[in-house]
């Protein structure tokens, strides 16, 4: 979810890992003229990925709201219709606004030939949009009326999460229904190419997998205490473009262990609040940790939140982060040990 903050930085260096100029140029052209999106296909919290694959469509919910395909509908009217049909009991427009954002993206922002990544457990599917959004009235009872035709790539076969770079893995953890991934077109194409080749993973990818495993094991080995873990997070954030990052003294801790600021075009400033949880085999990150971070976000007036652990994340934490996003519009990203290790490696931390 930090792509809003880092998008400018990634735009200038997205192809730095490729040595073949022709291939870089091809991906550059693709990035300029192709968009990409992340879409969770689970309207009303029901898994509809198998149906989407069988019907060659992508699917989204909010089916009670009619008329969203009307091109003349303004954003305000668009949001109001969703509010009336789905969130009339809400005093604010936060949830309606979040839902309208997903629906607007689905109906208006997505275009033919754009890529759509559909997370599915430890794997993901990739599709290419092949037509306009439609509304199927007969599917309203299942909350699957709004659909778009697609061509499923990779022969409709799922791609292992390990084929993706850390940034794409992070984006696939979006806790809302959808997200933009225009800055990750190259990463998506690279994952597709790797999956489509049918060949054994390259030495480079195998080496990275081995490094990730070793890094996770080292993080959990007990050689680093919680103070060192916080300093490591600080170093990572600075590598990722933070203009400033500070570890908060324990006596001043109000729920955020690390605070970092990012600037876009030297004009817009964002504050990121981080809750750090070092490895505890018996205690995965739960909703309680998210609640602590929320206190830190609100105490520091942060724009974004992140929980980073060298361990694992419980489903309850994901639900808590999703609820906070819907209620306030403030995203919280949950980074587990494997993703954290990938981030460290890709940013060159520990390299001699």
């Amino acid at each position: 979810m930090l792509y809003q903050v880092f998008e400018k930085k990634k735009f200038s260096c997205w192809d730095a890992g490729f040595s073949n100029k022709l291939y870089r140029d091809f991906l550059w052209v693709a990035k300029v003229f192709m968009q990409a999106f992340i879409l969770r296909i689970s309207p009303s919290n029901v898994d509809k990925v198998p149906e989407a694959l069988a019907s060659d469509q992508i699917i989204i919910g909010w089916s009670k709201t009619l008329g969203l395909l009307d091109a003349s509908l303004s954003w305000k009217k668009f949001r109001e219709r969703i509010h009336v049909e789905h969130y009339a009991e809400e005093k604010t427009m936060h949830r309606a606004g979040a839902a309208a954002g997903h629906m607007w993206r689905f109906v208006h922002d997505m275009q033919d030939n754009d890529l759509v990544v559909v997370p599915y457990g430890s794997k993901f599917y990739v599709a290419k949009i092949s037509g306009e959004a439609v509304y199927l009235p007969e599917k309203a009872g299942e909350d699957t009326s709004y659909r778009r035709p697609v061509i499923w790539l990779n022969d409709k076969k799922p791609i292992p999460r390990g084929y993706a770079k850390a940034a794409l893995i992070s984006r696939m953890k979006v806790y809302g229904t959808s997200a933009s991934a225009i800055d990750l077109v190259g990463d998506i194409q690279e994952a597709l190419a790797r999956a489509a080749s049918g060949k054994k993973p390259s030495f480079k990818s195998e080496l990275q997998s081995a490094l990730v495993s070793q890094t996770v094991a080292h993080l959990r080995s007990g050689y680093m205490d919680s103070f060192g873990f916080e300093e490591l997070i600080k170093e990572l954030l600075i590598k990722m473009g933070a203009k400033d990052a500070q570890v908060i003294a324990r006596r001043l801790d109000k729920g955020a262990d690390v605070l970092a600021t990012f600037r876009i075009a030297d004009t817009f400033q964002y504050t990121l609040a981080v809750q750090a949880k070092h490895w505890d085999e018996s205690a995965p990150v739960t909703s309680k940790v998210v609640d602590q971070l929320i206190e830190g976000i609100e105490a520091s007036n942060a724009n974004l939140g992140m929980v980073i652990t060298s361990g694992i994340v419980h489903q309850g934490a994901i639900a808590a982060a999703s609820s906070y996003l819907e209620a306030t519009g403030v995203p919280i990203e949950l980074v587990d040990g494997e993703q954290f290790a990938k981030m460290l490696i890709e940013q060159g931390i520990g390299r001699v």
Side-chain angles (χ1 to χ4, degrees):
M1 291 186 180
L2 293 180
Y3 66 94
Q4 297 100 328
V5 174
F6 305 138
E7 186 170 359
K8 181 175 182 291
K9 181 174 182 287
K10 286 182 178 178
F11 190 86
S12 64
C13 62
W14 67 278
D15 61 346
F18 296 95
S19 59
N20 185 294
K21 183 179 185 301
L22 182 61
Y23 189 50
R24 290 202 309 269
D25 291 346
F26 167 75
L27 291 182
W28 174 259
V29 172
K31 183 182 187 303
V32 171
F33 293 100
M34 179 188 294
Q35 299 183 96
F37 302 89
I38 309 296
L39 180 69
R40 292 193 174 279
I41 302 182
S42 56
S44 298
N45 295 316
V46 177
D47 175 19
K48 291 295 180 180
V49 171
E51 181 178 346
L53 290 165
S55 62
D56 291 319
Q57 295 171 321
I58 51 174
I59 303 169
I60 199 168
W62 294 286
S63 299
K64 286 170 57 178
T65 307
L66 304 177
L68 295 181
L69 302 183
D70 182 357
S72 67
L73 206 61
S74 69
W75 161 254
K76 185 176 180 179
K77 292 293 184 182
F78 193 95
R79 183 183 62 174
E80 284 178 356
R81 288 193 182 188
I82 292 177
H83 177 76
V84 169
E85 291 294 341
H86 291 272
Y87 306 103
E89 73 284 358
E90 300 282 338
K91 294 181 179 180
T92 71
M93 297 290 282
H94 286 309
R95 295 186 68 190
H102 298 308
M103 285 300 301
W104 187 276
R105 182 176 288 131
F106 189 88
V107 172
H108 295 293
D109 292 347
M110 293 181 180
Q111 302 294 325
D112 283 2
N113 297 314
D114 287 347
L115 297 177
V116 179
V117 174
V118 178
Y120 201 61
S122 62
K123 301 180 180 180
F124 61 96
Y125 293 90
V126 182
K128 181 172 68 173
I129 295 174
S130 59
E132 298 293 327
V134 298
Y135 183 87
L136 305 181
E138 67 273 19
K139 294 292 184 178
E142 302 174 6
D143 194 22
T144 62
S145 292
Y146 284 104
R147 300 173 177 232
R148 291 193 78 123
V150 297
I151 298 170
W152 291 100
L153 306 180
N154 196 43
D155 295 326
K156 291 190 178 182
K157 296 176 183 176
I159 301 173
R161 188 175 79 157
Y163 279 33
K165 290 184 176 179
L168 180 54
I169 291 174
S170 175
R171 198 70 53 83
M172 285 192 287
K173 290 183 177 181
V174 60
Y175 305 122
T177 298
S178 67
S180 172
I182 191 171
D183 56 314
L184 299 178
V185 168
D187 289 2
I188 296 167
Q189 291 176 324
E190 185 180 349
L192 275 168
R194 185 179 299 175
S197 68
K199 297 179 181 178
K200 183 180 179 180
S202 66
F203 172 78
K204 182 179 178 180
S205 63
E206 286 188 329
L207 178 60
Q208 186 184 61
S209 295
L211 287 172
V212 168
S213 297
Q214 291 175 12
T215 302
V216 171
H218 191 70
L219 286 169
R220 298 174 178 176
S221 66
Y223 288 106
M224 179 184 295
D225 61 17
S226 59
F227 294 96
F229 189 62
E230 291 170 358
E231 289 292 338
L232 184 61
I233 291 171
K234 172 185 172 180
E235 182 180 354
L236 174 64
L237 294 175
I238 291 173
K239 282 277 191 178
M240 295 177 74
K243 298 300 181 183
D244 179 64
Q246 295 182 352
V247 174
I248 306 303
R250 298 296 167 91
R251 69 181 186 280
L252 302 175
D253 185 349
K254 298 179 181 178
D257 298 314
V258 182
L259 288 175
T261 57
F262 295 84
R263 291 190 181 90
I264 304 299
D266 293 323
T267 302
F268 303 103
Q269 179 168 301
Y270 295 83
T271 299
L272 168 67
V274 180
Q275 174 75 217
K277 289 298 176 186
H278 201 19
W279 172 243
D280 183 343
E281 188 174 7
S282 64
V285 168
T286 64
S287 59
K288 182 178 179 180
V289 176
V290 175
D291 291 340
Q292 292 172 351
L293 175 60
I294 289 171
E295 291 180 6
I297 290 172
E298 295 175 351
S300 60
N301 292 316
N303 310 95
L304 306 159
M306 179 181 277
V307 175
I308 298 180
T309 179
S310 50
I312 58 177
V313 176
H314 190 272
Q315 186 65 34
I318 296 174
S322 179
S323 295
Y324 189 67
L325 174 63
E326 280 194 356
T328 66
V330 177
I332 294 176
E333 182 166 3
L334 307 177
V335 177
D336 62 17
E338 181 181 343
Q339 184 182 346
F340 184 52
K342 273 199 170 191
M343 293 167 73
L344 292 172
I345 291 167
E346 291 179 5
Q347 293 298 324
I349 293 178
R351 184 181 301 160
V352 178

